[in-house]
Amino acid sequence: MNLDELKSTWKAYDEKMLASQKLSERVVFMMIKDRSKSTLAKMERNLTGAGLIMTAVVLFFAAAIAGNAFDYTSWYFYIPSVLYIGLALFAISVVVKNYRNLSRVSLSQQNLYDSLTTVLRWHEKTRTALARVWLLCMMSGFLFGVSMVARKFETYGTTKVALLLSGQALMILMVYALARWVFAVFEDRLGKELKENIQELAQLKAIS
């Protein structure tokens, strides 16, 4: 084999290896893209569920206020219910905004890394906002209990009212602590999936 034939053979081998590498990268990219689509679909389903729950909260307390379901006698008794409605509406606005953002996401080979990074940022901001809504709902729940007990102040007396409110405050703190523990134990699976896909894309870009 002369030098020209050797160069030609080596060039053909290089082209074959390059084509094989590109094919492998393409296969890996398609796998990451499919997983990312599945993750985004699950995020949209979760947002839909959260939106429906918050809508139910708005309708429930709006109906309770309109029909005076709790037999309130003064306007300030309605404050906790109004707070619940306000928090639920805020949560709905967060959910709708994130859902619209997700619906506009384009996953292509050119922008997949940037798109997933942006989605992860949206996801984390949404989780933070909804966690704050949860905390404020706990506080509103305490005020709701206060409004219920306040009507019976003369009947129960100071000591019994204080015990009831203390018990309710303790229960709310326990529920909040339990919720934080649950959130810590059950990690953010969707966020983890996004981070894993982003990490794999970064590795793919590094070797390509």
Side-chain angles (χ1 to χ4, degrees):
M1 180 180 292
N2 57 35
L3 183 59
D4 290 337
E5 290 176 342
L6 182 61
K7 288 181 178 179
S8 178
T9 302
W10 188 258
K11 182 179 179 181
Y13 177 76
D14 282 345
E15 291 176 350
K16 185 177 180 180
M17 289 295 295
L18 182 60
S20 177
Q21 180 181 353
K22 289 184 177 180
L23 178 61
S24 298
E25 291 175 358
R26 180 68 177 173
V27 171
V28 173
F29 167 78
M30 293 303 297
M31 291 174 58
I32 297 174
K33 181 179 178 180
D34 289 341
R35 291 205 307 264
S36 300
K37 284 184 177 180
S38 176
T39 301
L40 265 60
K42 286 185 281 188
M43 291 174 67
E44 289 179 345
R45 288 196 296 270
N46 288 352
L47 289 171
T48 299
L52 291 175
I53 292 173
M54 291 299 106
T55 300
V57 170
V58 171
L59 294 176
F60 173 80
F61 282 103
I65 292 174
N68 194 18
F70 302 112
D71 296 325
Y72 290 146
T73 56
S74 300
W75 65 269
Y76 48 83
F77 289 140
Y78 292 98
I79 292 177
S81 298
V82 173
L83 286 176
Y84 268 118
I85 292 175
L87 290 170
L89 289 174
F90 173 76
I92 290 172
S93 69
V94 171
V95 166
V96 170
K97 180 180 179 181
N98 201 20
Y99 192 94
R100 287 179 176 175
N101 288 336
L102 288 177
S103 65
R104 292 195 294 264
V105 171
S106 173
L107 301 180
S108 65
Q109 187 169 0
Q110 290 74 26
N111 69 355
L112 183 58
Y113 181 87
D114 292 335
S115 295
L116 293 184
T117 303
T118 301
V119 169
L120 178 61
R121 185 171 65 252
W122 291 339
H123 177 68
E124 290 175 343
K125 288 177 64 176
T126 299
R127 280 178 58 86
T128 300
L130 294 181
R132 289 173 180 171
V133 169
W134 170 254
L135 174 60
L136 292 174
C137 281
M138 293 292 98
M139 296 173 63
S140 298
F142 176 73
L143 293 177
F144 188 78
V146 171
S147 68
M148 299 295 290
V149 173
R151 296 180 302 163
K152 305 290 185 179
F153 183 81
E154 294 182 357
T155 304
Y156 290 160
T158 305
T159 303
K160 189 172 182 179
V161 168
L163 289 174
L164 286 172
L165 293 179
S166 299
Q168 184 184 14
L170 179 61
M171 183 181 68
I172 289 175
L173 288 174
M174 291 176 62
V175 170
Y176 180 68
L178 178 63
R180 287 181 62 89
W181 176 80
V182 169
F183 290 147
V185 172
F186 297 97
E187 60 184 344
D188 177 17
R189 290 181 297 173
L190 297 180
K192 183 180 179 181
E193 290 176 8
L194 286 173
K195 290 176 181 177
E196 289 176 349
N197 291 340
I198 291 171
Q199 184 178 7
E200 290 181 11
L201 283 171
Q203 294 173 351
L204 189 62
K205 289 173 64 177
I207 63 176
S208 60

